[in-house]
Amino acid sequence: MTPLARTPVAAAVRALRAELNGGSHADLGSEVTELSSLLLERELRRFATVRDPAEQELLSGLPDSAAIVSKDGRVRTCNAAFDTLAAGGRAAGMTPLEVTRSAALSEAVKRALEGSARRLEVELPRRVLSVQLTPLLRGEVLLLARDVTEEKRAAATRRDFVANASHELRTPVAAIRGAAETLLGGALDQPAAARTFVEIINRQAERLARLTQDLLDLSRLESRQWRFETAPVDLAGLATTVLELHGPAALTKGLALRSDVPSGLVAQADPRALEQVVFNLVDNAVKYTATGAVTIEAAARGEHLELTVADTGPGIEPHHLARIFERFYRVDSGRAREAGGTGLGLAIAKHLAQGMGGEITAASGAAGTRFMVRLRSASAQGG
Ligand code: ADP
């Protein structure tokens, strides 16, 4: 290297020193300016390939998926949670678009690399992420992604529930108001007509009472405020009690009620909850069966007991059968409402059965429908 070749560099160094000491702006010349940007570029590249342990420790400690996106738009480093977002399980070196396939996220990262912080929700095929993008010094971007799929689903379920419940409550309230207004408008003075409207009010008030009770039960069950207290329950006795309660309704329809429960089958269950489960099942069987019989059966199945409510009704088609335990789900909403149903009976029965450590399932065909309740056996509990 000749002394001449060093001259522009030496001159630039002198000029820069003078500027930093308060002198005028140093004109470095094009060669030296290029040299300085090459040196900077080399530093940045070196930095891009280095995994800083302190940075790694910080990212691993974050509760969210976290990544640092470098100036070239690629993930420089990330934590394990972020790696799981990538199809191959490794996100470093990929662009956020390659990792998530979300154009919206890719666009937001570009904007963040230009310096503006952003927050956005990204919908992936199977999950929803709440993403925060923060520009960092050195022109990089910190990407934090929180999985809000479950939160969103719970919020949607709550919204649906409130909408459904309001809709269900509105119908009887409107009917009561209509009947009361008709009475006040003159029907009170015509005894025959008055009786019809008072009967409507009575029927709809009963429906309201059933609905509010079911809603209360369901809300206590779903928020786990229902206290289950298990004790030995004799299934033959329980079947007799529940069938007796449905005697009058079955008699009116000409339905036979039968108990085919051997004596000596004792379940370990909450007596009140189990009675409600069987009551709801027999109630449905009687409601939806036009002719034939409703039978309660029970048998020991290994460690468990199985109680079945069988009817000779119209049956439930398979695509409905998969959904009947959902709250407010009805096969034929008009007919079910007419029959006095709230659409909550099976949802409550299912929660109650599960709360006692059991399970409830349904099978249906041309011969009718069978609901099976699996219960703990009292003898398997040692008592
Ligand atoms: P509902 O109060 O409307 O009876 P449920 O949750 O108890 O509500 O039942 C949900 C739906 O399942 C009912 O609306 C009815 O369409 C159907 N279903 C329940 N039990 C039977 C049955 N034994 N036979 C035929 N359909 C039934």
Side-chain angles (χ1 to χ4, degrees):
M1 206 180 278
T2 64
L4 249 188
R6 269 208 305 263
T7 309
V9 177
V13 168
R14 266 199 310 278
L16 262 179
R17 282 214 176 107
E19 178 185 329
L20 293 173
N21 285 328
S24 58
H25 179 73
D27 186 359
L28 302 179
S30 61
E31 271 179 313
V32 176
T33 312
E34 192 184 347
L35 176 66
S36 96
S37 62
L38 285 173
L39 284 171
L40 183 66
E41 173 81 33
R42 189 175 68 175
E43 266 315 284
L44 284 176
R45 284 209 187 160
R46 194 179 65 81
F47 181 70
T49 56
V50 165
R51 283 197 151 215
D52 176 352
E55 198 176 70
Q56 277 295 306
E57 189 182 9
L58 193 74
L59 291 181
S60 314
L62 290 172
D64 299 338
S65 304
I68 294 179
V69 181
S70 62
K71 269 175 142 180
D72 64 359
R74 295 185 176 277
V75 172
R76 175 167 64 75
T77 181
C78 65
N79 64 10
F82 194 87
D83 270 331
T84 65
L85 294 176
R90 191 151 161 64
M94 295 171 83
T95 64
L97 181 66
E98 288 165 342
V99 176
T100 63
R101 312 223 169 278
S102 160
L105 177 63
S106 172
E107 193 51 36
V109 169
K110 272 190 200 134
R111 299 268 161 281
L113 284 168
E114 288 162 12
S116 49
R118 346 218 105 200
R119 214 175 236 290
L120 73 157
E121 217 156 70
V122 178
E123 287 206 27
L124 305 182
R126 273 192 304 277
R127 46 182 158 175
V128 185
L129 301 177
S130 170
V131 176
Q132 190 179 326
L133 297 166
T134 314
L136 302 173
L137 294 172
R138 300 198 294 253
E140 294 185 315
V141 162
L142 173 67
L143 187 163
L144 293 175
R146 193 158 53 85
D147 193 323
V148 291
T149 319
E150 201 40 46
E151 256 169 60
K152 297 264 304 170
R153 203 194 54 76
T157 310
R158 255 196 318 274
R159 268 199 310 276
D160 279 2
F161 183 61
V162 171
N164 280 327
S166 318
H167 177 77
E168 294 292 333
L169 291 168
R170 225 176 3 232
T171 316
V173 169
I176 289 172
R177 276 180 70 180
E181 278 165 13
T182 312
L183 282 168
L184 291 171
L188 259 183
D189 304 323
Q190 306 157 33
R195 184 172 180 85
T196 308
F197 289 108
V198 173
E199 276 167 3
I200 291 176
I201 291 178
N202 192 35
R203 218 172 30 245
Q204 296 298 331
E206 271 175 16
R207 182 168 156 65
L208 262 185
R210 257 197 319 272
L211 206 53
T212 44
Q213 186 58 50
D214 279 1
L215 283 170
L216 269 174
D217 285 349
L218 198 60
S219 125
R220 280 173 59 211
L221 282 163
E222 292 191 348
S223 60
R224 301 184 193 281
Q225 280 167 21
W226 186 297
R227 295 215 151 277
F228 288 94
E229 280 166 24
T230 62
V233 182
D234 171 54
L235 295 187
L238 174 80
T240 308
T241 309
V242 174
L243 291 181
E244 268 170 17
L245 292 170
H246 289 88
L251 193 68
T252 316
K253 295 181 82 172
L255 286 177
L257 294 182
R258 295 193 192 116
S259 170
D260 193 2
V261 179
S263 59
L265 289 181
V266 181
Q268 185 69 21
D270 180 315
R272 213 165 46 91
L274 184 55
E275 185 174 322
Q276 187 165 348
V277 170
V278 183
F279 181 96
N280 287 6
L281 296 179
V282 173
D283 194 50
N284 279 347
V286 170
K287 246 175 5 194
Y288 299 113
T289 304
T291 55
V294 173
T295 311
I296 303 184
E297 302 159 13
R301 299 246 181 276
E303 293 261 287
H304 291 95
L305 299 180
E306 189 175 79
L307 183 144
T308 302
V309 175
D311 67 47
T312 53
I316 304 169
E317 288 175 55
H319 66 283
H320 288 303
L321 201 59
R323 301 194 54 192
I324 51 170
F325 292 101
E326 292 173 21
R327 43 198 189 183
F328 296 119
Y329 191 84
R330 298 179 174 104
V331 173
D332 174 346
S333 51
R335 249 183 46 204
R337 267 202 205 95
E338 230 169 76
T342 61
L344 296 174
L346 288 179
I348 292 174
K350 183 179 165 193
H351 275 294
L352 288 171
Q354 287 176 345
M356 293 183 285
E359 191 52 75
I360 177 164
T361 50
S364 193
T369 307
R370 298 171 71 80
F371 283 91
M372 284 74 67
V373 188
R374 200 194 57 195
L375 296 163
R376 286 188 186 148
S377 163
S379 52
Q381 313 280 317

